[in-house]
Amino acid sequence: MMDANAEQLKTLAAVIDHGTFERAAVVLHVTPSAVSQRVKALEEQTGRVLVRRTKPIEPTEAGRVLLRLARQVALLEAEAAAELDAAGGAATTIPLVVNADSLATWVLPALASLPDLVFDLTLDDQEHTLDRLRDGTAMAAIGSDPDAVQGCTVSSLGAMVYRPVASPAFVERWAPEGWTPEAAAVAPMLVFDRKDALQDRYLARFAPTARPPRQYVPASTEFVRAAELGLGWGMLPDLQTAGHLAAGRLTVLDDGGEEAVALHWHQWSMRSAALTAVADAIAARAAAELRPPSRS
């Protein structure tokens, strides 16, 4: 039977978060030997290897299970300390994983409404954010998958609307006769990173055989700037482009090319005032900024 204590769990989380025993020791204000002994003791209690001694250190499947437990214990301890108004109590930290476009547009104002909480934000594509819930990195995530991860709840937030856009100069150079499948086949295409499939999904409908050159721009604000500068065309959210379109810095290439990306809020299934507050703030902001969830 496992008899893990809070100190051991906190040490395991520090090792995984910081990548080495030495860095974890600095954060915990103990020696690397003490860190190693705590992790070893926890492994002996569970009868499983919990971390791979790689660089950086990575959790095993069993390690991910205990990492989630460590996060939950830390959250509950922080909330209890806050209720008791413990002197010098640390602020409650909520690890969240968010897609870049949401972070660049509507998520930060939601988080700013919660000044008593601290956030540890991780960026990932909306189709891959749930991986961070599964491995214990995050307590909550915004993603496009409507299905709940084991041990988590899910609720619909609404949809971000994307359209294919480019600068007027780009259109003049690459599509002087209009935006056609032939133009799409040769015009440079902006892609956020190797996980970004928005442009490919649009091309699958509009120009299935097109294989245009790709410009990778892995930052949301700079992605918009790249489109303005004529580096390529890309699928951009209405929340980011409204001002640029009104000012004539960008133009919509295809009025029928809209794509609505449904977003969902996923969080651990545990009683937590902090998590509930975050979920409520996210839901309220999403209701104000996103297209309402589909009723179908």
Side-chain angles (χ1 to χ4, degrees):
M1 182 176 179
M2 188 181 71
D3 190 25
N5 59 48
E7 185 179 74
Q8 291 171 331
L9 292 171
K10 182 178 180 181
T11 301
L12 176 67
V15 167
I16 294 170
D17 287 345
H18 298 283
T20 69
F21 286 83
E22 291 75 18
R23 290 176 185 169
V26 171
V27 171
L28 297 173
H29 304 292
V30 297
T31 65
S33 176
V35 171
S36 179
Q37 289 172 11
R38 291 176 187 176
V39 173
K40 183 178 180 181
L42 194 53
E43 289 180 326
E44 290 175 348
Q45 290 174 35
T46 60
R48 292 175 174 82
V49 175
L50 300 178
V51 296
R52 299 185 185 93
R53 271 68 171 177
T54 55
K55 290 187 178 181
I57 284 174
E58 296 180 348
T60 62
E61 287 300 320
R64 292 188 182 98
V65 173
L66 289 192
L67 178 60
R68 289 195 292 272
L69 176 61
R71 303 274 197 230
Q72 292 170 352
V73 169
L75 176 60
L76 294 176
E77 284 185 339
E79 290 187 345
E83 287 188 30
L84 294 171
D85 195 24
T92 303
T93 298
I94 306 294
L96 301 178
V97 57
V98 184
N99 62 304
D101 290 340
S102 291
L103 186 65
T105 53
W106 64 274
V107 165
L108 285 180
L111 302 185
S113 69
L114 303 166
D116 295 330
L117 299 179
V118 174
F119 298 96
D120 183 354
L121 298 175
T122 300
L123 286 179
D124 208 337
D125 183 82
Q126 62 266 10
E127 297 180 12
H128 298 270
T129 54
L130 299 194
D131 294 340
R132 307 302 181 108
L133 279 181
R134 295 185 183 95
D135 67 16
T137 301
M139 295 178 183
I142 294 172
S144 58
D145 195 328
D147 299 322
V149 173
Q150 183 177 3
C152 298
T153 61
V154 60
S155 58
S156 178
L157 294 173
M160 290 190 73
V161 178
Y162 291 75
R163 304 175 200 276
V165 303
S167 71
F170 180 90
V171 174
E172 183 177 349
R173 177 180 178 186
W174 295 100
E177 304 301 322
W179 185 242
T180 63
E182 292 74 22
V186 295
M189 181 173 77
L190 297 173
V191 183
F192 188 85
D193 59 20
R194 270 70 181 176
K195 296 178 179 179
D196 179 11
L198 272 175
Q199 286 71 216
D200 289 317
R201 286 206 295 269
Y202 167 73
L203 285 182
R205 302 191 307 270
F206 182 74
T209 62
R211 299 294 183 270
R214 294 167 182 254
Q215 302 262 33
Y216 289 96
V217 185
S220 188
T221 301
E222 286 71 17
F223 195 98
V224 179
R225 182 64 174 151
E228 277 189 324
L229 292 172
L231 286 174
W233 70 272
M235 299 293 291
L236 287 172
D238 288 354
L239 289 176
Q240 276 186 303
T241 59
H244 302 276
L245 292 170
R249 295 189 297 270
L250 292 173
T251 185
V252 175
L253 296 174
D254 177 4
D255 290 333
E258 171 189 303
E259 174 143 353
V261 176
L263 296 177
H264 300 81
W265 173 254
H266 298 257
Q267 72 174 63
W268 287 351
S269 299
M270 61 179 295
R271 289 184 178 275
S272 164
L275 271 180
T276 298
V278 177
D280 289 346
I282 289 289
R285 193 72 190 190
E289 300 283 357
L290 304 184
R291 176 179 291 183
S294 172
R295 296 182 181 277
S296 58

